[in-house]
Amino acid sequence: EPEVTQTPSHQVTQMGQEVILRCVPISNHLYFYWYRQILGQKVEFLVSFYNNEISEKSEIFDDQFSVERPDGSNFTLKIRSTKLEDSAMYFCASRQEGISNQPQHFGDGTRLSIL
Amino acid sequence: ELKVEQNPLFLSMQEEKNYTIYCNYSTTSDRLYWYRQDPGKSLESLFVLLSNGAVKQEGRLMASLDTKARLSTLHITAAVHDLSATYFCAVVRMDSNYQLIWGAGTKLIIKP
């Protein structure tokens, strides 16, 4: 069964450094999402992406965050200058267009640890 | 603003018992999802509920949706240890591009 893949599985970074989290969505999916989950807390929406542009973003997704789909397969989340509070599990998800009863499919996540 | 509340947040139960997890949401939505998460793992889709009165069953789990009451339930029948996990409900925000708003999760521990 096709799946969403995320790399790396764990990223450790010094505060203030830039990080790029990578995702390969399911190939025939056209809607892409990033969520984060701080340890022990609920999942929070960050951003949705469709047709090569951001369609929605949350308050969490400030100027330090950006997303892009550089080559038609990868979907990346960049954090420009990381803060301690960015430490969390980041999940990428994708969804098929036009199939209203299909869920978002999630990758295994990237655990981001900011030191 | 759409808010999603789950209860209980923590549930410890014996095998073979039945229990129900509740998910309330504050504004109209026509799609609700239940996901399972094992510790340190990803989010696995369990059920998609699209309409009022929808009921779906998979093994010992059954989910239902009452859109008028803005309530979904996840019922566990004759629990077994393998069902130990955290269960999340997530509701689609109506004026969005399928943005999911999540409950806090119910951590379910089933003791043998």
Side-chain angles (χ1 to χ4, degrees):
Chain A
E1 184 177 333
E3 56 183 29
V4 177
T5 57
Q6 288 185 243
T7 55
S9 56
H10 191 191
Q11 174 81 44
V12 182
T13 301
Q14 292 288 330
M15 186 172 60
Q17 296 296 306
E18 174 183 285
V19 293
I20 297 176
L21 309 182
R22 292 183 167 78
C23 170
V24 179
I26 294 172
S27 61
N28 63 343
H29 287 190
L30 296 177
Y31 292 87
F32 313 116
Y33 307 83
W34 282 102
Y35 293 85
R36 79 171 185 191
Q37 185 182 31
I38 296 171
L39 185 63
Q41 298 187 25
K42 68 168 65 177
V43 179
E44 300 173 291
F45 168 78
L46 292 178
V47 65
S48 61
F49 191 87
Y50 173 72
N51 200 24
N52 285 320
E53 61 182 19
I54 290 174
S55 46
E56 289 158 331
K57 58 184 180 179
S58 71
E59 292 177 354
I60 302 167
F61 194 90
D62 62 21
D63 291 345
Q64 294 300 310
F65 290 85
S66 62
V67 289
E68 63 176 3
R69 197 151 186 252
D71 57 10
S73 63
N74 289 286
F75 178 51
T76 62
L77 174 69
K78 181 192 290 185
I79 309 174
R80 262 179 274 279
S81 178
T82 50
K83 303 186 284 287
L84 292 176
E85 53 265 38
D86 293 329
S87 296
M89 193 75 149
Y90 287 80
F91 291 105
C92 172
S94 68
R95 187 176 67 85
Q96 226 175 340
E97 181 179 26
I99 308 295
S100 64
N101 63 344
Q102 291 298 308
Q104 294 176 23
H105 295 265
F106 284 79
D108 286 343
T110 294
R111 181 171 299 282
L112 178 62
S113 301
I114 307 300
L115 304 178
Chain B
E1 181 189 353
L2 175 58
K3 293 185 179 178
V4 180
E5 293 187 356
Q6 276 181 247
N7 70 85
L9 298 182
F10 181 77
L11 180 56
S12 179
M13 53 195 286
Q14 298 290 328
E15 283 190 324
E16 300 302 318
K17 299 291 186 184
N18 303 332
Y19 211 81
T20 301
I21 299 170
Y22 298 89
C23 175
N24 290 90
Y25 52 100
S26 60
T27 63
T28 300
S29 177
D30 62 355
R31 283 173 185 81
L32 187 144
Y33 301 87
W34 283 97
Y35 283 86
R36 167 182 172 148
Q37 186 180 40
D38 292 297
K41 301 294 184 181
S42 187
L43 296 148
E44 176 192 355
S45 174
L46 295 175
F47 299 109
V48 179
L49 300 169
L50 298 178
S51 59
N52 189 42
V55 177
K56 293 204 174 170
Q57 183 161 5
E58 181 73 34
R60 299 172 189 270
L61 300 178
M62 183 174 72
S64 66
L65 177 63
D66 181 343
T67 57
K68 293 179 181 177
R70 297 176 188 157
L71 170 68
S72 179
T73 61
L74 180 66
H75 188 73
I76 303 143
T77 302
V80 293
H81 179 66
D82 287 352
L83 291 179
S84 296
T86 299
Y87 293 86
F88 291 92
C89 66
V91 180
V92 173
R93 225 185 76 193
M94 285 294 287
D95 57 346
S96 78
N97 194 0
Y98 284 86
Q99 178 187 141
L100 293 179
I101 307 299
W102 296 76
T106 297
K107 184 170 184 178
L108 176 64
I109 295 176
I110 299 168
K111 300 175 183 177

